[in-house]
Each structure stands twice: as C-alpha cells, then as structure tokens.
Amino acid sequence: MSRIFAAGDKTVLVDPRGRRYLITLKAGGEFHSHAGVLPHDDLIGQAEGVRGKATKGTIYVALRPTLIDFVLKMPRGAQVIYPKDLAPMLMLADIFPGARVLESGVGSGALSMTMLRAGAVITGYELRDDFANRAKANVAEFLGGAALERYRVELRDAYEGVDTPTEPYDRVVLDLPEPWRVVPLLGDVIAAGGVMVAYTPQITQAVQVRQALERGPWIDASTIEVLHRGWHIEGQSVRPDHRMVAHTGFLTSARSLGA
Ligand SMILES: C[S@@+](CC[C@H](N)C(=O)[O-])C[C@H]1O[C@@H](n2cnc3c(N)ncnc32)[C@H](O)[C@@H]1O
C-alpha cells in the first residue's frame, strides 16, 4: 500500500483532541468543520502522517483508516458489533485463511469485513435487501471489490432452514435476534470439530443458545462478556477512565461433534 495519499483514498483526520473524521480524498474537495475548511489538495500527494491546517488554524493529522476507524464511521443499516467484541469473536470462532463460514445476519457488514480480512470465505444469510446491499458496499469500500469474491450474501430467513453445503462449513457465526432457532439446524451444515459463535445483547438470549446447544451434539460451550476499560495516562495522573462502555453483548461459543 502506498504511503502517499492519492485522490480516491480513504483518510481519517485526527484533530488535537483525538476526534476522528473519515473522508475520501477528492481533487478540489474540501473538509468542512467547526475549524473551517481543509482543502483535500493539501493532503493529496503527501505521505501518511501529513499535517493539514484548516482555515481557523486547527491542525489535523491525516492517516489511513484502520479497521476500527472504518467500522466506527462507516454507513450503517443495522447496529454493528463493536471492535471490542469483533476481535475476540475472531479468536473464539478461530477464523483462518480459507475458513468456510456461514454468517447470519450480516447487518452492516462489520463482522463480515473483520472475518474477510482474516481470510474467511463467507456465505451470509440476511433477511433484508437494504442491509445486504449496505454490507456488501461497506466490504467493497474497505477491502476492495476483490473481497466480494469471498462474500456471497443470500436474502433469506435463517430460521426457515440452512442449506447443506457440498462441503460442511468450518465455522458458523450468528448475530440475529433468536440464534437458538438456528443452532438445531446446523447438524450436517457444520463440520465435526467446527466452531459456532453467537453474539447476543441479552443474557436471556445467551441462556437460550446454551439450552439449544445442550440439546444437540456440541461440546466446549462457553459464554463470556468482554469488559474494556481505558486508562487515562497523563503525567502523574494515571487512573482508569471515568467512563467506559459498560455493556455490549455476550459471546457464546461451542464446537460441533458432527451430525
Ligand atoms: C444486529 S444486525 C447484525 C450486525 C452485524 N453483525 C454487523 O456487525 O454489522 C442483525 C441482522 O440480522 C438480520 N436478521 C434478523 N433475523 C434474521 C433471520 N431470521 N434470518 C436472517 N437474517 C436475520 C437483520 O436483518 C439484521 O441485519
């Protein structure tokens, strides 16, 4: 990847207070904010890390967006899974290059792009046409059009059945309201030894997933919650941040013993 910014590149502008703005560079384009105007031409042709001065004096540092930047700023249809859960989900689901993954629903594509970037080949089941299109557009925008060759989204209701693939899926990842209705459908859909992970905002949902797992050929069922607490570190003032995201969701995982 070139370190030099070109027109068409996604760029994140970071202001002195750490606030971040995601823009796409355009010849002759302008970034407008409370700090005035920053011409895109001041950044195009410059190396990553370049500082641009807006008309009222504020300095912005221009960087290429990380996956975290993009997930937090990208256009959304459905609510996304946040980075603090995306990272452990990659690990819990043990996503590897070439892993055949069934994902439902795909929502805005945050989880999809995280798994695609780790090399997964995804079949997505999504109820809503607008969300499926938003997810594919987000994936293409961040990972490039070639990633869509590993991302097939079918418009369908996962509760009504899951097709048995020619070769079973290695992994199944669920983020939809009633994942416990999908678990019993996975018998010959997921390979023996395959991993299932379900993200649920409510503990009552996680309990229902666990009950569905208990009724089937699953092992190693576990449910975790990830708490992420930032620290304020400035000179002698070193303490936990006053605020934290107290709750997002529960991650339930298990391994299949085969049909
Ligand atoms: C919270 S969103 C998923 C967000 C996604 N994980 C992300 O990180 O961007 C839940 C999605 O499940 C879809 N959905 C709900 N019920 C479904 C069903 N029965 N079959 C397939 N998709 C379903 C919704 O349309 C929605 O897009």
Side-chain angles (χ1 to χ4, degrees):
M1 182 198 303
S2 164
R3 302 329 294 183
I4 305 296
F5 286 123
D9 285 354
K10 296 239 155 311
T11 306
V12 65
L13 299 178
V14 187
D15 77 7
R17 294 177 60 187
R19 288 178 297 207
R20 306 169 93 78
Y21 305 88
L22 184 67
I23 64 169
T24 303
L25 294 175
K26 203 167 112 194
E30 292 178 333
F31 170 67
H32 290 253
S33 72
H34 60 283
V37 178
L38 173 64
H40 292 194
D41 290 344
D42 289 1
L43 308 175
I44 292 170
Q46 304 295 322
E48 190 169 358
V50 62
R51 288 165 167 73
K53 193 172 183 180
T55 45
K56 291 188 188 168
T58 298
I59 304 284
Y60 290 90
V61 175
L63 299 168
R64 289 188 190 281
T66 61
L67 179 54
I68 291 180
D69 288 323
F70 191 73
V71 162
L72 295 179
K73 300 287 182 192
M74 71 187 190
R76 291 177 191 183
Q79 171 67 47
V80 298
I81 297 180
Y82 281 95
K84 90 167 178 64
D85 295 308
L86 290 172
M89 284 180 81
L90 264 193
M91 211 60 182
L92 287 171
D94 192 41
I95 300 299
F96 57 89
R100 296 160 42 74
V101 179
L102 174 68
E103 180 190 5
S104 187
V106 303
S108 304
L111 179 57
S112 305
M113 66 181 67
T114 304
M115 296 193 292
L116 287 166
R117 201 163 78 151
V121 179
I122 300 178
T123 299
Y125 282 13
E126 171 54 55
L127 263 188
R128 287 181 51 166
D129 191 30
D130 52 343
F131 289 174
N133 289 334
R134 169 47 53 208
K136 285 187 277 186
N138 282 341
V139 162
E141 203 171 334
F142 189 67
L143 297 177
L148 295 178
E149 288 164 22
R150 293 184 286 117
Y151 189 44
R152 190 167 53 83
V153 181
E154 299 179 15
L155 275 186
R156 53 190 289 177
D157 184 337
Y159 305 148
E160 288 186 351
V162 178
D163 291 344
T164 305
T166 36
E167 208 186 313
Y169 292 105
D170 299 303
R171 310 294 184 238
V172 175
V173 183
L174 303 172
D175 177 15
L176 72 183
E178 300 180 17
W180 58 90
R181 292 177 61 185
V182 181
V183 170
L185 309 177
L186 298 179
D188 50 9
V189 165
I190 187 167
V195 183
M196 187 278 333
V197 176
Y199 173 94
T200 55
Q202 314 290 334
I203 192 62
T204 44
Q205 293 171 297
V207 169
Q208 280 176 278
V209 173
R210 293 293 295 269
Q211 288 167 345
L213 290 168
E214 272 168 28
R215 288 192 287 270
W218 299 89
I219 191 172
D220 285 348
S222 89
T223 299
I224 65 164
E225 178 185 11
V226 177
L227 302 179
H228 172 142
R229 185 168 73 162
W231 280 65
H232 170 92
I233 300 181
E234 210 176 287
Q236 295 305 304
S237 170
V238 178
R239 53 162 175 76
D241 284 338
H242 291 309
R243 293 174 195 203
M244 66 185 280
V245 178
H247 176 67
T248 51
F250 300 96
L251 310 180
T252 298
S253 59
R255 296 194 74 179
S256 169
L257 295 175

